[in-house]
Amino acid sequence: MVSKEIEDYAISHTSKEDPLIQELLEVANQKLEHTDMISGRLVGRLLAFLVELSGADRILEVGTFVGYSALTMAKVMPKEGVLFSCEYNEHYEAIARHFFEKSEYSSKIHLVMGKALETIPAIPGNFDFIFLDADKINYPRYYDLLLPRLNKDGLMVVDNTLWGGEVIDPQSEKSQVIASLNKTIKEDESVEQLLLPVRDGLTLIKKK
Ligand SMILES: C[S@@+](CC[C@H](N)C(=O)[O-])C[C@H]1O[C@@H](n2cnc3c(N)ncnc32)[C@H](O)[C@@H]1O
């Protein structure tokens, strides 16, 4: 959304990930192709700020990949906090589990394997914080399924809501789905929303 120079400058003036997450990034870069799925330092730091400032102690993440954002949020959660992270790819699961177990906060993280639309209903309770970062085609379904499970004053954060800028003139199926969700959120009187042009677009949704 901004020039590469500005993005690089912003990243270089943002706190670095801790050593374990830096190791995770190295392993992911060596072993995997699609490491651009990792939300990255700007989104990661923003998630950490929001989780820490809000004191969220029940978090749901949809889309673990190798665990970058899960580890980032788990680190700043209260000791007794619990983070459920949904993933369906077993190859990514192996890397994520390895790093979760190596971390000091493994007891907070519960990896939930399977298609998220099928596994989420079995996860008990409501959430203070939800990070939506999986299959874009199903974003509207996740929104409908999860908004009722977000606590009052809770936050839902949805990644990729600008979809490379395509939402301005949506032609592909994914961009149409995301643009339609953005409209739904805008018109939803039960929430306040803020669409930040950070990285690929990040929408913060607060339940009134
Ligand atoms: C963008 S990546 C998540 C990145 C991660 N949140 C981070 O910032 O490091 C999306 C992940 O969602 C997973 N995924 C996609 N569709 C899914 C589904 N229906 N159920 C569970 N996981 C899914 C993919 O396998 C992928 O690992």
Side-chain angles (χ1 to χ4, degrees), residues 72-135:
T72 299
M73 293 187 282
K75 183 181 178 189
V76 296
M77 287 178 79
K79 260 196 189 130
E80 65 286 359
V82 61
L83 182 151
F84 298 93
S85 184
C86 303
E87 177 55 59
Y88 69 175
N89 181 309
E90 290 173 3
H91 188 42
Y92 303 154
E93 175 193 10
I95 299 176
R97 269 197 207 284
H98 171 79
F99 281 92
F100 292 164
E101 279 159 22
K102 218 173 157 183
S103 78
E104 290 165 30
Y105 4 97
S106 59
S107 61
K108 297 181 197 170
I109 307 175
H110 298 258
L111 191 50
V112 182
M113 291 304 297
K115 286 186 185 165
L117 282 173
E118 292 166 16
T119 58
I120 288 169
I123 301 174
N126 288 346
F127 308 101
D128 304 312
F129 194 97
I130 295 171
F131 181 42
L132 209 49
D133 191 21
D135 40 342

Side-chain angles (χ1 to χ4, degrees), residues 37 39 63-65 68-69 87-88 92 114-116 133-135 142:
M37 286 208 284
S39 49
T64 315
F65 192 40
Y68 176 95
S69 46
E87 177 55 59
Y88 69 175
Y92 303 154
K115 286 186 185 165
D133 191 21
D135 40 342
Y142 292 123

Side-chain angles (χ1 to χ4, degrees), residues 50-51 54-62 73 77 80-86 108-112 116-117 119-132 142-157 205-208:
L50 293 171
V51 167
S54 66
D57 65 2
R58 282 189 56 84
I59 298 181
L60 175 68
E61 169 177 77
V62 188
M73 293 187 282
M77 287 178 79
E80 65 286 359
V82 61
L83 182 151
F84 298 93
S85 184
C86 303
K108 297 181 197 170
I109 307 175
H110 298 258
L111 191 50
V112 182
L117 282 173
T119 58
I120 288 169
I123 301 174
N126 288 346
F127 308 101
D128 304 312
F129 194 97
I130 295 171
F131 181 42
L132 209 49
Y142 292 123
Y143 186 74
D144 291 345
L145 183 67
L146 289 171
L147 193 62
R149 297 186 61 187
L150 184 66
N151 287 328
K152 185 175 176 299
D153 292 327
L155 261 185
M156 187 187 296
V157 177
I205 303 159
K206 184 162 104 64
K207 203 164 178 182
K208 288 184 192 166

